[in-house]
Each structure stands twice: as structure tokens, then as C-alpha cells.
Amino acid sequence: MEQSNNVTVFILLGLSQSKNIEIFCFALFLFCYIAVWMGNLFIMVSITCSQLNDQPMYFFLNYLSLSDLCYTSTVTPKLMTDLLAERKTISYNSCMTQLFTTHFFGGIEVFILTGMAYDRYVAICKPLHYAVIMSRQRCNTIIIACCTAGFIHSASQFLLTICLPFCGPNEIDHYFCDVYPLLKLACTNTHIIGLLVIANSGLIALVTFVVLMLSYIFILYTLRAYSAESRSKALSTCSSHITVVVLFFAPALFIYIRPASTFPEDKVFALFYTIIAPMFNPLIYTLRNTEMKNAIRNVWCHQMLLEGK
């Protein structure tokens, strides 16, 4: 007999069953969400209103900040609302929409980080050809490719999940709709679909992470021939990128590279790439970047002087 989908509403179990812990988490994530918006908008305005936008590295950083805002906004507002709610529910359609948008913007972020690593590779390893290779047309093409790849990744995850029948339990042991917790609720054998999810999310994350790390190893090897001053500047920029990459990829790999299963730790690790990484990205890229600090000083000090007249 064919199984049908008769689940119209899912119940999210969230981060904790303790009301005191939920209130603490609400205050913490409210602060984090405000910091994400302020920090990333600060970077976007500073880059857009300065000459840094003409440089490929900051062109990509501008889009990374935009993807951070979109990515965390697919999860955090719902999470904060649920922390104050007695009953944490999400409709089937909203759940599928959240699944699609989360993987879409998450995929874009992964590929933009790859584009930024390619930019640093060209800048350090092929400096004489940098202006030609990283033209504005090439940068726009890379951003379009990132969005296209993110859409393909998200659409495949969405199609794998939306075909599943849900006819029994409707409690999702997570704070947002993701593939593995939903596979656990499906009224069918999900072994093959689980392998396809690993081939999609898991391998994309793993291959991208390995490529990024190899590119930075090659960059560090090339830096040996540079002067101490040039080496210090390049290392400062690359260390910022590496910090962001590890902060984003390490927890994502823990969740998606293994066979389809869920652990209580998944929710904690997911917080790193959905909230913590988008919050720290602006700090990582500004505190260790002299050009970014100068641009922020020029843009915002100039604005305050204009307002004071």
C-alpha cells in the first residue's frame, strides 16, 4: 500500500526543554543577531562607499557579508521566536522553504569563500597577471557561478526531501528544518537518500575544505620568497580567511560527512555555522586588516564630520 504524506505541521524540539535556559538563549541570540546585522552592514557600507569595492578581495567580502545576513536570517528569527513560545511549530510548507533557503544561502557562502581563496592565490602566486585575471567581469562571473551552484545544491536537497512521505511522528529534534532530522521522520527507507545527501552536502563541504586548505598551503609555500613586510601583510589577510573557513566548515563537516544520523551535539555545532560564524566574520576581517580599518575610519569619520556641520 502506498504511503501518503499526512503531516501538515512539524514540532521543533529546539535547543532545550528548560524555560530558564531558553530565556538565556533568547537574550544571547538576540545579541548575536543584532551583532550580525550591525557588523555585516558596517562592512557592506564601508566597502561600497570607499575605493575598496574596486578591489576583488573586498568585492567578494561585500557579497560574503550579504550572504551572511541572508543565511542567518533564514534560521535565527524563527529560533528566537520559538525560544519564547510554549509550542514550537512550523508548517510543512514553511519547513520546506526554510530547508531550501538555508542550503541556498549556505551554499553561496561556501562558494564565495572558495572564490576569495582563488583571489588570494592569484594575488600572491601570480601578482603580475592579477589585474588581468581578476577583472571586474571575472569577479561578476564568479559571483553568478556561486549563486548558480548554491541554487543547484539547494534544489537537489529540496527535491530529495520533498518527495519523502511523512505519515507518523512529526517532532523534529532540531531548532530548524534540516535534511537529517527530516530523514529520521520519513515513513520509508531513507538509506539511499541519506547516501545522496552525503554525496551532495558532505562531499561538497569536504572537497571545498580540502581545496581551500591546499590553496592556502601553496600560498604559504610561495610566500617564502617574499620580503618580510610583504609576507606579513599576505599572512594577515590569509589568516583571516583561514579562520573563517575553519569556523564555518569544521562543524558543517561533522554533521554532513557522516551517514544519515542525528546526535544531540548537532544542534550545538549547527549554531556555529548559522549564527556564530556570521557574527564573527566582520570582526575577523576588520581587526586584522589595515585597509579595512582605514576605509571604516575614512567613511564613518567623514560621515560624522558632515553631520556635525
Side-chain angles (χ1 to χ4, degrees):
M1 186 175 179
E2 187 178 346
Q3 293 172 312
S4 60
N5 187 358
N6 57 16
V7 173
T8 58
V9 175
F10 290 106
I11 298 172
L12 295 166
L13 297 184
L15 294 172
S16 173
Q17 302 302 313
S18 169
K19 201 61 188 176
N20 290 333
I21 293 177
E22 287 186 330
I23 292 172
F24 170 77
C25 288
F26 173 82
L28 176 63
F29 296 141
L30 177 61
F31 168 79
C32 291
Y33 192 51
I34 292 172
V36 168
W37 270 91
M38 289 182 64
N40 284 288
L41 282 176
F42 201 66
I43 280 186
M44 291 167 66
V45 172
S46 300
I47 292 175
T48 304
C49 297
S50 69
Q51 294 181 341
L52 288 182
N53 200 42
D54 297 329
Q55 300 182 38
M57 184 178 81
Y58 298 102
F59 174 82
F60 289 129
L61 179 56
N62 200 5
Y63 278 98
L64 180 67
S65 293
L66 179 60
S67 69
D68 272 338
L69 286 179
C70 296
Y71 182 48
T72 194
S73 293
T74 62
V75 173
T76 312
K78 173 62 177 170
L79 169 60
M80 291 191 299
T81 303
D82 286 343
L83 286 170
L84 298 181
E86 289 296 328
R87 188 174 171 83
K88 306 168 180 59
T89 61
I90 184 170
S91 68
Y92 177 85
N93 290 337
S94 296
C95 184
M96 294 300 115
T97 301
Q98 187 180 61
L99 174 73
F100 178 85
T101 54
T102 301
H103 281 273
F104 176 57
F105 292 115
I108 289 176
E109 183 149 347
V110 166
F111 296 119
I112 288 179
L113 287 171
T114 307
M116 293 175 77
Y118 175 70
D119 168 70
R120 290 300 85 203
Y121 165 78
V122 176
I124 294 170
C125 300
K126 299 183 179 181
L128 298 179
H129 302 92
Y130 180 69
V132 176
I133 296 174
M134 297 305 297
S135 63
R136 181 45 57 93
Q137 183 179 1
R138 175 68 61 84
C139 291
N140 288 329
T141 302
I142 290 174
I143 291 297
I144 293 171
C146 290
C147 294
T148 304
F151 178 81
I152 293 171
H153 159 69
S154 181
S156 60
Q157 297 286 81
F158 176 77
L159 291 174
L160 287 173
T161 309
I162 203 170
C163 295
L164 294 172
F166 298 99
C167 52
N170 66 338
E171 292 186 342
I172 299 176
D173 189 15
H174 216 305
Y175 62 89
F176 70 98
C177 290
D178 204 4
V179 182
Y180 282 169
L182 286 169
L183 289 181
K184 194 175 177 181
L185 302 180
C187 306
T188 186
N189 189 327
T190 59
H191 179 70
I192 300 299
I193 295 177
L195 292 176
L196 292 174
V197 171
I198 295 173
N200 188 332
S201 293
L203 283 184
I204 285 176
L206 179 62
V207 171
T208 306
F209 181 72
V210 170
V211 168
L212 288 171
M213 289 297 101
L214 288 176
S215 70
Y216 285 120
I217 290 171
F218 193 75
I219 286 171
L220 293 174
Y221 179 80
T222 305
L223 285 174
R224 295 188 310 162
Y226 280 55
S227 65
E229 183 180 352
S230 299
R231 191 161 57 238
S232 176
K233 183 179 178 181
L235 283 173
S236 177
T237 303
C238 289
S239 64
S240 298
H241 292 183
I242 293 172
T243 304
V244 171
V245 166
V246 172
L247 195 61
F248 186 88
F249 277 91
L253 285 170
F254 174 81
I255 292 174
Y256 292 111
I257 201 61
R258 65 171 190 257
S261 58
T262 58
F263 298 117
E265 296 82 5
D266 289 356
K267 290 183 274 190
V268 177
F269 279 102
L271 289 173
F272 277 89
Y273 57 80
T274 56
I275 300 176
I276 305 301
M279 181 181 69
F280 277 108
N281 281 0
L283 290 175
I284 292 168
Y285 280 110
T286 53
L287 293 179
R288 305 201 60 181
N289 191 306
T290 304
E291 288 183 319
M292 194 70 220
K293 285 189 283 190
N294 290 336
I296 290 172
R297 194 179 300 115
N298 293 336
V299 170
W300 295 98
C301 288
H302 179 68
Q303 184 64 30
M304 285 188 286
L305 287 173
L306 289 177
E307 290 177 356
K309 290 183 179 179

